Each structure stands twice: as structure tokens, then as C-alpha cells.
Amino acid sequence: MEDHHPVCVDCAKAYAPMITLGSWRAKVDPDGWTARTVDGSICVQYEHTIAVTENGPVILT
């Protein structure tokens, strides 16, 4: 999945990588929220929120 939203000063973004035991390919369920691997393998997802300031990025989580 690609991120097509630019990062700008005074903005915050959440990045949520997935670590999987199988396929790296992901799909989103019809609820528009739940992400899974296409092969149904075990995976873990975590999130980092980063704010962009005039002095550079600040990791919030």
C-alpha cells in the first residue's frame, strides 16, 4: 500500500507497519478499517505517530 499524502510542516502522520509470518501483501476488509494479509498468516501491526515541525520530525509515539 502506498501513501500518496505529502508530509508538511505542522502536520502529524501515523505510520502503521505490519510484520508478518507469511505474505507481505495486505487487504482491507469491507469495514474499511481491518487490514489482513492476503494469505491469512499471523501478523502484528503497530503504529508510530510523527509530527513535522520547522525544526524537523518529532516522534510522538
Side-chain angles (χ1 to χ4, degrees):
M1 294 182 198
E2 294 183 31
D3 186 351
H4 298 284
H5 302 284
V7 176
C8 60
V9 174
D10 296 330
C11 291
K13 277 190 101 156
Y15 294 89
M18 290 174 53
I19 298 173
T20 70
L21 292 179
S23 175
W24 60 269
R25 289 181 171 81
K27 65 179 181 177
V28 178
D29 285 356
D31 65 10
W33 183 261
T34 306
R36 303 176 187 275
T37 58
V38 294
D39 64 359
S41 62
I42 295 173
C43 67
V44 62
Q45 188 171 7
Y46 59 95
E47 185 174 285
H48 286 295
T49 303
I50 301 170
V52 180
T53 70
E54 289 183 9
N55 297 320
V58 176
I59 299 173
L60 303 174
T61 59

